[in-house]
Amino acid sequence: MTLVSLFAAQSGGAGVPIRELAMLVLVAAAVSYLLTGVVRYVMVKSGWLDQPRLRDVHDIPKPRLGGVAMFTGVIAAVALASILPALNRGFPPMTPDMRAIIIAGSVLLLVGIADDLFDLDALTKLLGQVAAALIMSFMGVSWYLLYIPFGSGSTLILDPIMSTVLTVLFTVALINAFNFVDGIDGLASGLGMIAAGAILVYSMVMLHDQGGTVSAYPPAMISACLFGACLGFLPHNFEPARIFMGDSGAMMIGLMLAGASVSASGRIAPSMYGTADIIALMSPIVVVIAAISVPMLDLLLAIVRRVGQGKSPFSPDKMHLHHRLLSMGHSHRRVVLVLYLWVSVIAYAAVATTVFPVGFVAFTSGLLLIFAVVFTIRRSRDMPNRGEGSRKRYNLRP
């Protein structure tokens, strides 16, 4: 598999529908970008502003609910995909994935909107997350194949109960990982875009290697739609942010990445990956883990930290990775760029193994890793523009 052969593939048929996937990215980005401005205007005029809390890093009230614009961008892109001949193999009756993602995402969006407006308690949000994950699993997006690389290697076929349990646990964990990491301007949207981009590249490689198999279409389309939605929202959300995505956006990113991950690595037999090499056999799982590595690490550290202190795993604090980087003297923008860089390095190392020789990937990944370490430990010289200057710049009072 080479980049030349991938991009030489023709749209439709058994090839890789690159142009159509690019259209999904552009539509999702355009709708998300334009509608975010509308949502911000409505929220500011109505007075629904997020008041700064002790654990927050922003110091002036700002509107939330950007997730509504993002999910609308996703819906618009999915609607376009459903009428494109090159992508209709990824819709019912061929596969239920896209319908499941939209319905589960709509349920979770309502929960997120309620939380953004009225601050739901942790248990209510958790029940909403579980309900959305169950809907996705019951509608067919469920992890029922699990490859075990140890020994001679084997594939476990999970029964319906275990499949549902694994899918729900994975989905809820990923939803909360992005919910937890959404604590600084541009972080969640940027990490979501990078993770979606990694899964998108892998899905296109899988489409090429497997000759356009039906099961490879949904992860490609889901990740393309999510990539575009995050791309369109990011200009509004990058530091200094004019609007927050809120739980409606962060939870949506987690759900869609979970859906794309299950489609990409939880339902396709390892024998279809195209090679008996262990790296290729594990590549779907490695790509997924790499793409979500930083949010999941932050989630695990938060749970261990809070439980160790005798607190609820959902109790807020200021000890997330971005808080720690801020305490090192980095500016808000540099913290975001540091975390972008680490996720990109890990995702590149995973995805590149499906395209380039292992030796080349190891060498380039090592160089990128050294650069990431140096960039992280070097203190930022620019400090964020906060306080009264930001208040005047955005004039958030209607």
Side-chain angles (χ1 to χ4, degrees):
M1 174 66 217
T2 64
L3 283 177
V4 174
S5 61
L6 173 62
F7 286 96
Q10 298 297 315
S11 296
V16 182
I18 297 177
R19 291 175 297 183
E20 287 77 4
L21 291 172
M23 290 175 62
L24 300 190
V25 172
L26 292 176
V27 168
V31 172
S32 177
Y33 177 79
L34 295 174
L35 194 56
T36 297
V38 176
V39 171
R40 178 182 178 273
Y41 175 82
V42 172
M43 294 296 288
V44 171
K45 292 293 289 184
S46 62
W48 289 98
L49 301 178
D50 183 36
Q51 301 297 327
R53 298 161 296 185
L54 182 62
R55 68 179 186 270
D56 291 330
V57 297
H58 68 285
D59 55 4
I60 62 174
K62 295 182 182 181
R64 286 196 285 184
L65 224 63
V68 173
M70 297 173 67
F71 192 66
T72 304
V74 169
I75 292 177
V78 171
L80 172 64
S82 66
I83 62 175
L84 293 177
L87 297 178
N88 59 16
R89 299 180 71 192
F91 289 87
M94 302 296 286
T95 172
D97 296 44
M98 303 307 295
R99 178 183 295 172
I101 289 295
I102 292 300
I103 293 178
S106 299
V107 171
L108 196 59
L109 179 70
L110 294 176
V111 176
I113 292 175
D115 182 65
D116 288 341
L117 296 179
F118 307 110
D119 286 327
L120 300 178
D121 60 272
L123 179 59
T124 302
K125 283 199 296 184
L126 180 61
L127 291 176
Q129 295 166 4
V130 171
L134 284 172
I135 290 172
M136 188 176 74
S137 179
F138 289 158
M139 292 189 66
V141 184
S142 195
W143 204 310
Y144 61 81
L145 288 178
L146 188 62
Y147 178 70
I148 306 298
F150 308 108
S152 59
S154 61
T155 302
L156 294 180
I157 301 178
L158 305 178
D159 60 50
I161 294 178
M162 290 302 299
S163 174
T164 300
V165 170
L166 178 60
T167 302
V168 170
L169 289 176
F170 176 74
T171 302
V172 171
L174 196 48
I175 289 172
N176 281 287
F178 270 90
N179 200 18
F180 282 15
V181 83
D182 183 29
I184 190 170
D185 299 351
L187 183 56
S189 52
L191 293 184
M193 185 174 67
I194 295 170
I199 298 176
L200 174 59
V201 170
Y202 174 77
S203 299
M204 290 194 297
V205 173
M206 188 166 59
L207 271 169
H208 178 273
D209 288 348
Q210 297 178 15
T213 180
V214 170
S215 57
Y217 277 82
M221 290 190 291
I222 294 170
S223 52
C225 293
L226 179 59
F227 183 93
C230 292
L231 178 64
F233 180 73
L234 190 57
H236 297 275
N237 187 236
F238 198 73
E239 201 276 333
R242 291 172 287 179
I243 185 173
F244 300 140
M245 67 171 63
D247 282 13
S248 57
M251 293 196 299
M252 182 270 290
I253 292 176
L255 177 75
M256 292 193 65
L257 284 177
S261 301
V262 172
S263 290
S265 59
R267 301 184 306 165
I268 303 175
S271 59
M272 297 179 64
Y273 297 162
T275 175
D277 183 79
I278 186 63
I279 296 179
L281 288 174
M282 289 298 295
S283 57
I285 300 175
V286 172
V287 167
V288 170
I289 293 176
I292 63 177
S293 56
V294 171
M296 290 301 293
L297 174 62
D298 195 28
L299 172 64
L300 292 175
L301 291 176
I303 292 175
V304 172
R305 179 175 64 250
R306 294 166 184 174
V307 172
Q309 296 173 349
K311 300 178 180 179
S312 166
F314 300 99
S315 60
D317 59 30
K318 296 192 70 172
M319 295 295 291
H320 289 293
L321 292 177
H322 53 273
H323 290 126
R324 295 174 185 269
L325 289 170
L326 284 170
S327 67
M328 291 173 58
H330 294 304
S331 68
H332 287 196
R333 289 191 177 188
R334 193 176 179 90
V335 166
V336 173
L337 294 177
V338 165
L339 293 174
Y340 284 179
L341 179 59
W342 278 102
V343 172
S344 298
V345 170
I346 299 172
Y348 164 78
V351 176
T353 57
T354 65
V355 180
F356 301 110
V358 175
F360 175 81
V361 174
F363 176 73
T364 53
S365 297
L367 293 179
L368 291 173
L369 183 61
I370 294 173
F371 176 74
V373 171
V374 173
F375 189 78
T376 302
I377 63 178
R378 183 178 179 182
R379 294 185 60 178
S380 175
R381 295 180 179 179
D382 62 306
M383 295 305 294
N385 181 22
R386 303 178 65 188
E388 188 63 27
S390 296
R391 187 186 303 274
K392 289 180 179 179
R393 179 177 180 178
Y394 293 118
N395 190 24
L396 291 177
R397 297 297 182 184

